[in-house]
Amino acid sequence: MAVRLMVVDDHRLLAEALASALKLRGHRVLAAAAPAAGAADLVIARVPEVCLIGTATPAQPGIFDPIVRIKRERPQVAVVVLGPVPSPRGIAAAFAAGASGYVRHDERIEGVERALMKARAGEAAVAPQLLQGAFAELLNPAAQPDDEAQRLLEVLTPREVEVLVRVAEGEDTRVIAAGMGIAPSTARTHVQRVLMKLGVGSRLEAAALAARTGLLDRAGALPLDAGPDGV
């Protein structure tokens, strides 16, 4: 059964070529247009059964905002994303926005057609291997770098990092000085510098910030300055 659809892609030639191929297979193409950012206005005006939206950057923030608007204003329209071999996050972002399917750019026209039919029928149109990859990442997420912790580490000297670790462990100035082999006045100066650089007003706040950002875990892997009064 023919699908009433629209094809939107940032590359007009690709959109028109795909539209022509689908027309030859008996489907009714209401429009083939670019860029994808304007998809929402076209879909809301024409109300196809399925909208095929192409993108080269499925993981880019905001790339699927048009889908969110389409599903909000025309919830009956099924949306299928046509994109590159995606990261699991790209697939998750597409479905979170309201897409019904994801098809790779290198898929044969028969595969695209099957995805359109499944989406119109209210089914999820995505290859099993892509779903498996997405589920694997959701179950075993890769550790992401903590930008705030890294930023804080970059403003502290190795000796100040050691002082912060000791502060977080509850050591007072006398214990910090003894443990580091420095004078209490020097330890006190280091503590004040740490508080100033972290932008906090107390040792307790410094310890809380270090714990919250993961800075303490990161600091444990760093070599510390061994000089008696080094900064």
Side-chain angles (χ1 to χ4, degrees):
M1 183 183 296
V3 177
R4 191 176 73 257
L5 62 98
M6 290 176 55
V7 180
V8 184
D9 195 283
D10 288 332
H11 301 284
R12 185 174 295 277
L13 285 176
L14 177 59
E16 292 177 349
L18 189 53
S20 295
L22 290 168
K23 283 181 181 178
L24 289 174
R25 300 180 73 84
H27 300 288
R28 182 184 175 193
V29 180
L30 302 181
D41 290 332
L42 286 171
V43 171
I44 291 168
R46 304 295 294 274
V47 196
E49 293 177 305
V50 182
C51 179
L52 183 62
I53 297 182
T55 178
T57 55
Q60 178 180 324
I63 196 69
F64 296 127
D65 286 352
I67 299 178
V68 175
R69 185 181 167 205
I70 289 169
K71 297 305 294 184
R72 182 176 65 245
E73 300 192 31
R74 294 289 187 268
Q76 72 272 33
V77 177
V79 179
V80 174
V81 174
L82 180 68
V85 178
S87 69
R89 293 182 184 279
I91 296 177
F95 278 87
S100 298
Y102 191 106
V103 181
R104 285 170 41 165
H105 270 144
D106 58 0
E107 181 63 77
R108 296 172 62 88
I109 190 64
E110 293 85 359
V112 176
E113 185 177 39
R114 283 195 298 271
L116 297 176
M117 300 290 284
K118 291 184 70 174
R120 185 180 64 176
E123 302 176 32
V126 59
Q129 61 269 29
L130 296 184
L131 278 181
Q132 289 169 3
F135 280 127
E137 173 136 334
L138 289 173
L139 293 173
N140 302 286
Q144 298 297 308
D146 187 328
D147 292 339
E148 186 175 5
Q150 184 59 40
R151 178 184 63 78
L152 294 175
L153 284 174
E154 288 173 356
V155 303
L156 299 175
T157 67
R159 179 50 58 96
E160 289 165 353
V161 171
E162 183 178 358
V163 168
L164 176 59
V165 171
R166 290 177 179 274
V167 166
E169 291 175 349
E171 295 184 4
D172 60 22
T173 301
R174 180 181 56 79
V175 176
I176 291 174
M180 296 178 66
I182 58 178
S185 60
T186 302
R188 190 174 301 108
T189 297
H190 283 318
V191 171
Q192 291 303 315
R193 286 179 179 172
V194 169
L195 298 183
M196 179 185 67
K197 288 184 176 182
L198 296 183
V200 297
S202 68
R203 296 182 182 216
L204 182 60
E205 288 181 75
L209 177 63
R212 176 176 61 79
T213 62
L215 190 153
L216 293 178
D217 293 335
R218 194 83 66 85
L222 296 177
L224 299 178
D225 181 64
D229 291 305
V231 294

